[in-house]
Amino acid sequence: SSGAASSSSLDRAAAPSPAPAPATDTDTRADRRRAVLSPPSSRPRASPLRRDEARLIGVTLYSEPAAEPGGRGGGRKEEEEEGGNDGEFSAEELFNAALLRMEDDADLEVAAARFEEAFRSAAASAASASASAADSSSSSSSRSDHLDIMSLSNVGYCLYLREKYSAAAECFEGSVDSCRRDLDALRSSSPPGSPADDRARRLMIRMVECMTNLSRAYDGMGRYREASVLVGEAASLLDAIADTFDGVRTPRELDAEDDLEDSLRYVDATVKLHRGEHDRAMRAYKRYLCLYTQRQKRWRPSSSSPSPHSTPSSLSSCGDRTPPSPSDASISRAVRTAAAMHGVAHSLHARSRPDESRRVALVAYTIRQRALHPSFGPDHRDLADSAYLLGHLHRDEEEYVDALALYRRCVRARCRALGPDHRDTIKAICYVAIVNRERGETDEALYVTRAVLGRGRDVVPRRFRREMEALRDDLEREIEASRAAKAEGGGVAWSGGGGGHAPSG
């Protein structure tokens, strides 16, 4: 609105106009509130609030709006009079404004900034409340929502979505440390058997969520050993919660904790896969599939019963805190099932069991195609990953036509979803060049190889650059030898085969 007003004033610059009234503090504050708290103008088809991807299994987004401070008897006015938060926004308002920004991928950076402001405001308010509280009960009740932990964790979620895993890990580490400090404070201020037990349970669940987030960030950074240890600690803590607080949980909370346990199993299997422990990863994926399928069969959905994916306000294990519609729940189940089957196929491929791997990978791709294509189109990241794996399997069987079609499909999807300079896109393009060489299409292979190398050293990973440079040199020599043989009239042009330079990724 401010941009439109400035442009219209420029158009009327030549015409005489009355002098504008001086802006008051109230007007300035209202304009800034509208600029910060207003929702984005457009809502995309696939919002981060309802994003179904295998890489987000186990990553929690706290997406339930925080209760506005105005609903607690004028707390907003008192805060402004005391000068808290510059007299402008409460932590709850900043948190809710950040959730609105999360609906647009282009606003993820703005959302992260809003969540960070909400974290600072909530932490300052909590410190002030604990310092001025007359007794421990009022101090702990003011921290019952733990908005600072949720805000900092959501900052890490935004960074994780943008694949800034190191920065996301720092945020998740801070949220885990905050949970530990709050637990220590709660234990010191509440005797055993007091009403604080329920608060301790909810805080411990939140800590498990933050630890799972951190393990996924470590996995993205390549710190697989630390991620594996953290998953084990989170699973032990979840078992301790089940043993200690069994009498105070509702059936819905039990379902949500089971969902969180499923996510931990999946994350554990994925970390094992990335560590190269393919046999253990395959067993972990199969166990996850078995237990997850059994739980889905035990739960019979009806119009009046809540879904196990409809997480309560204190729990989330799939990155969503609002009860999804039946179609969203079915997509979520399909994403989880296909992700585990994709992991099994990957492990089988690494163990040189191509026939089994191909069957499982094809089933996973079919599930993803049916569940994701109608809602997200052909460019979903999971669909691209399945096409990439199937391309490897066809290439291993020397079925180069099918392999090339799958690699190209993967390139198109990743270019649209991730961008042409993303590392995963570059990997798929490299295999397009390799398969073209193996088919004998040296000119096309050389064109693609030069296109990859022309993207710059900052874009192409070092290992792929070295292997693409070697492939380019080989292709140039082969083309020159073929041309020389044709010019002499007695040679035969090179006809492909011979195996190419294949990056191990």
Side-chain angles (χ1 to χ4, degrees):
S1 59
S2 59
S6 61
S7 61
S8 60
S9 63
L10 290 175
D11 295 336
R12 298 192 300 269
S17 60
T24 63
D25 293 340
T26 304
D27 295 336
T28 304
R29 183 177 301 168
D31 291 341
R32 187 175 177 190
R33 286 180 65 82
R34 282 192 294 269
V36 172
L37 304 180
S38 59
S41 58
S42 61
R43 183 186 182 115
R45 177 177 54 180
S47 166
L49 291 176
R50 183 66 256 175
R51 185 191 293 263
D52 291 288
E53 294 180 10
R55 70 187 182 112
L56 294 181
I57 297 176
V59 185
T60 299
L61 169 67
Y62 298 100
S63 60
E64 182 176 343
E68 293 291 345
R72 295 197 293 265
R76 169 92 190 122
K77 181 178 179 181
E78 294 174 0
E79 185 177 306
E80 289 184 359
E81 291 176 353
E82 295 175 359
N85 197 27
D86 296 332
E88 292 182 354
F89 311 111
S90 67
E92 291 82 358
E93 288 173 322
L94 290 167
F95 185 87
N96 296 340
L99 288 179
L100 291 175
R101 294 293 178 181
M102 284 289 293
E103 296 181 356
D104 192 343
D105 287 344
D107 284 343
L108 283 178
E109 187 173 356
V110 177
R114 295 285 182 268
F115 280 129
E116 188 173 357
E117 293 176 21
F119 160 71
R120 292 175 180 171
S121 177
S125 299
S128 176
S130 61
S132 61
D135 52 21
S136 60
S137 60
S138 61
S139 174
S140 60
S141 64
S142 66
R143 295 277 294 129
S144 60
D145 54 352
H146 301 287
L147 190 61
D148 57 339
I149 296 175
M150 294 190 296
S151 299
L152 185 58
S153 182
N154 282 3
V155 175
Y157 184 91
C158 295
L159 294 169
Y160 184 91
L161 281 179
R162 297 165 61 194
E163 298 186 0
K164 296 185 176 181
Y165 299 120
S166 179
E170 292 181 5
C171 295
F172 294 143
E173 287 170 351
S175 62
V176 171
D177 291 340
S178 296
C179 289
R180 285 174 177 158
R181 286 194 300 268
D182 291 348
L183 272 174
D184 292 339
L186 194 59
R187 288 167 183 161
S188 62
S189 62
S190 302
S194 66
D197 283 346
D198 185 59
R199 294 196 299 271
R201 180 190 61 79
R202 286 186 278 113
L203 186 55
M204 290 171 71
I205 286 292
R206 191 149 291 160
M207 185 173 176
V208 173
E209 294 171 346
C210 295
M211 293 172 71
T212 310
N213 292 349
L214 181 56
S215 66
R216 294 240 67 176
Y218 282 163
D219 181 57
M221 296 171 62
R223 297 165 62 177
Y224 305 128
R225 183 178 180 277
E226 296 169 82
S228 181
V229 171
L230 200 58
V231 169
E233 293 178 356
S236 299
L237 181 57
L238 195 60
D239 291 339
I241 295 171
D243 295 338
T244 307
F245 301 100
D246 187 49
V248 297
R249 292 179 297 171
T250 65
R252 188 176 183 183
E253 289 171 339
L254 288 170
D255 284 336
E257 289 180 24
D258 288 341
D259 207 24
L260 182 55
E261 186 177 4
D262 289 337
S263 297
L264 279 171
R265 291 194 189 101
Y266 176 83
V267 176
D268 178 56
T270 302
V271 173
K272 286 182 170 63
L273 176 66
H274 293 163
R275 293 185 70 179
E277 301 173 357
H278 300 295
D279 289 334
R280 297 180 63 189
M282 184 165 52
R283 289 194 296 270
Y285 277 126
K286 289 181 177 180
R287 184 170 182 268
Y288 164 80
L289 274 173
C290 180
L291 296 175
Y292 181 71
T293 304
Q294 288 178 358
R295 191 164 71 84
Q296 295 302 312
K297 289 181 178 179
R298 285 200 311 268
W299 181 81
R300 295 296 180 181
S302 63
S303 58
S304 59
S305 60
S307 165
H309 297 276
S310 302
T311 55
S313 59
S314 62
L315 293 173
S316 176
S317 62
C318 200
D320 199 345
R321 288 192 162 271
T322 56
S325 65
S327 60
D328 289 336
S330 64
I331 291 175
S332 180
R333 288 192 293 269
V335 167
R336 285 171 170 262
T337 302
M341 297 188 73
H342 181 83
V344 172
H346 199 292
S347 300
L348 289 168
H349 178 240
R351 301 302 297 169
S352 300
R353 295 163 65 178
D355 294 337
E356 298 173 71
S357 176
R358 188 166 174 172
R359 286 196 299 269
V360 178
L362 190 57
V363 172
Y365 182 70
T366 303
I367 293 173
R368 286 173 166 174
Q369 186 79 9
R370 292 176 178 175
L372 299 175
H373 191 279
S375 299
F376 302 97
D379 303 333
H380 194 277
R381 189 167 183 157
D382 290 358
L383 288 171
D385 292 344
S386 285
Y388 184 73
L389 178 58
L390 284 169
H392 284 334
L393 295 170
H394 282 283
R395 176 176 173 266
D396 291 343
E397 298 297 322
E398 298 184 358
E399 299 171 354
Y400 297 127
V401 175
D402 292 335
L404 186 60
L406 288 163
Y407 284 135
R408 285 175 173 168
R409 186 180 304 174
C410 176
V411 169
R412 286 194 298 269
R414 286 180 175 175
C415 279
R416 294 168 184 165
L418 307 176
D421 294 336
H422 192 275
R423 183 178 185 274
D424 291 343
T425 307
I426 296 297
K427 288 167 60 178
I429 296 175
C430 289
Y431 276 103
V432 170
I434 291 168
V435 174
N436 273 318
R437 184 201 179 173
E438 291 169 340
R439 292 184 64 196
E441 299 178 358
T442 53
D443 291 335
E444 180 69 17
L446 182 60
Y447 173 80
V448 176
T449 303
R450 287 173 174 172
V452 170
L453 295 174
R455 294 180 183 272
R457 293 185 176 273
D458 296 336
V459 175
V460 184
R462 181 182 302 176
R463 177 173 57 86
F464 279 91
R465 171 168 286 276
R466 288 198 300 265
E467 297 184 14
M468 286 295 101
E469 287 174 347
L471 177 60
R472 178 198 59 192
D473 296 340
D474 289 347
L475 289 170
E476 288 176 348
R477 285 194 295 269
E478 290 166 0
I479 291 175
E480 289 298 326
S482 175
R483 289 174 179 172
K486 286 183 178 180
E488 293 175 359
V492 180
W494 182 81
S495 59
H501 294 267
S504 58

